[in-house]
Amino acid sequence: TMADREGLIWLDGEMVDWREAKVHVLTHTLHYGMGCFEGVRAYETDRGAAIFRLQEHTDRLYRSAHILGMEIPFSKEELNQAQKDAVAKNNLKQAYLRPMVFFGSEGMGLRADNLKVHVMVAAWEWPAYMGEEAKTKGIRIRTSSYTRHHVNITMCKAKANGNYMNSMLALREALDSGCEEALLLDNEGYVAEGSGENIFIVRDGVLYTPELTSCLDGITRNTIFKFAADLGYQVKEKRITRDEVYVADEAFFTGTAAEVLPIRELDGRKIGTGVRGPITEQLQTMYFDQVMGKREAYPEW
Ligand code: PLP
C-alpha cells in the first residue's frame, strides 16, 4: 500500500520514516478539504534527478495556501530544499512529488484557536501516468456530467484538496464509461479542463486553450505557451465549445502527471485523423527533451 513503503517523508521540517508519517482520524483537512497540494516531477537527467520547474510549483503552493487563508510556516527556500531532499534521501532517479499543506488534528472547525498548519513532502517512483502507449496513440475522453467549479464555489486557482472531489467524480464517470479521462465544462457550458489537466486544441495551425476563468493555472500549460512561441505557433486563450473540440485538427492535455498527452477521441467523435497530430508531437518531443535535460533553452527550469 502507499502507507507501508520503505523510505522517508519530509514532515514539518524533519525526515521521518515513511510508515510513521501518519495523521489522526480527526485531521481537519480530512473532514473539510481545507488544504492544498502540488504535483511535481523529477526526471532522470545527466545531472542526476532534476525537479522540473520546482520554483513555479512552490510559488503556486504558496498562492494556493494564500487563497485558502492558510499560512505556510516555512520559507519557500525551505520548501524547495524539502522537495530536493525528498528525492535525494530516497535515492530516486525519477519521481512524483507530493507536497501538501494541511490543518492537523489540533482543532476542529475554523473557529478553533489552536489550528495548526502542517506541511509534508512525499516522493516516490512513478511510471507513465496512462501508460507508454497513450503518449503516442492518444486517449479517449468524454464530456463529464459534472461541471467545473463556478468561480465562486471553491477556488480553482488554488490547487486545493477539496476541489478534487469534483475531479474524482468526473474521472470515475469517465473510467466507468470506458474512457481514460474526463473533459469538464464550466458553469456556462464552455470547455474548462480535464480532471487534472489543461486542454489545448489545434485548428489550422493555431493553438487554442480556455482562458483561466475556471481552470488551474497549469505550469505545463505555461511551458507549452513558451514552446509554441519558440516554434512560431500562435496560442489563443479563448472560450471553447465542446463541438470545437470535435472538429479540431488535434487536441491534447497538459499536466505534470499527464505531461503532453494526445486526445484521439471525445464523446465517440474522432479528433482529426484519430492519431497524435504533428503539432502535438512536436510540442511533446520538446517537452520530454526539456524535462530530461536535453535542451539548452530555459536552463532556469
Ligand atoms: N488542472 C487541474 C485541475 C490540475 O489538477 C492540474 C494538475 O496539477 C492541471 C490542470 C495541470 O497543471 P500543471 O501543468 O501545473 O500540473
Side-chain angles (χ1 to χ4, degrees), residues 125-242:
E125 211 155 304
W126 218 50
Y129 186 46
M130 295 192 199
E132 282 301 325
E133 213 191 24
K135 293 182 189 173
T136 48
K137 205 172 142 206
I139 58 165
R140 295 172 57 233
I141 66 172
R142 62 161 282 174
T143 304
S144 184
S145 67
Y146 298 95
T147 302
R148 199 71 196 147
H149 309 283
H150 179 281
V151 288
N152 232 5
I153 304 175
T154 79
M155 304 289 104
C156 65
K157 295 299 167 298
K159 197 168 160 60
N161 293 44
N163 293 1
Y164 286 85
M165 189 183 104
N166 198 37
S167 284
M168 291 297 122
L169 288 169
L171 182 57
R172 162 149 293 160
E173 178 186 57
L175 295 176
D176 286 349
S177 61
C179 289
E180 280 120 329
E181 248 301 344
L183 180 64
L184 289 109
L185 307 181
D186 68 18
N187 184 50
E188 293 179 79
Y190 294 93
V191 170
E193 59 183 344
S195 70
E197 302 88 10
N198 293 110
I199 187 169
F200 286 81
I201 60 171
V202 181
R203 186 100 195 258
D204 296 329
V206 177
L207 286 99
Y208 300 91
T209 192
E211 294 160 351
L212 288 178
T213 320
S214 39
C215 49
L216 189 74
D217 188 354
I219 292 162
T220 321
R221 177 183 186 271
N222 174 273
T223 303
I224 292 301
F225 278 24
K226 299 256 168 49
F227 288 168
D230 293 347
L231 292 168
Y233 295 121
Q234 224 189 328
V235 184
K236 292 188 182 168
E237 291 177 86
K238 72 170 206 80
R239 283 178 150 186
I240 295 171
T241 57
R242 69 199 270 192

Side-chain angles (χ1 to χ4, degrees), residues 73-93:
F74 295 94
S75 68
K76 287 185 177 179
E77 292 69 33
E78 285 171 316
L79 254 276
N80 282 343
Q81 193 56 49
Q83 293 171 82
K84 289 177 190 166
D85 288 350
V87 174
K89 298 233 157 63
N90 288 301
N91 298 316
L92 297 166
K93 290 200 181 74

Side-chain angles (χ1 to χ4, degrees), residues 91-112:
N91 298 316
L92 297 166
K93 290 200 181 74
Q94 55 85 15
Y96 186 78
L97 286 93
R98 171 52 50 84
M100 185 179 282
V101 175
F102 60 99
F103 282 131
S105 50
E106 292 79 11
M108 258 299 169
L110 274 185
R111 285 189 197 86

Side-chain angles (χ1 to χ4, degrees), residues 34-47:
M34 283 289 285
C36 54
F37 65 92
E38 270 303 315
V40 191
R41 253 167 118 155
Y43 288 88
E44 190 173 358
T45 72
D46 291 345
R47 299 174 283 122

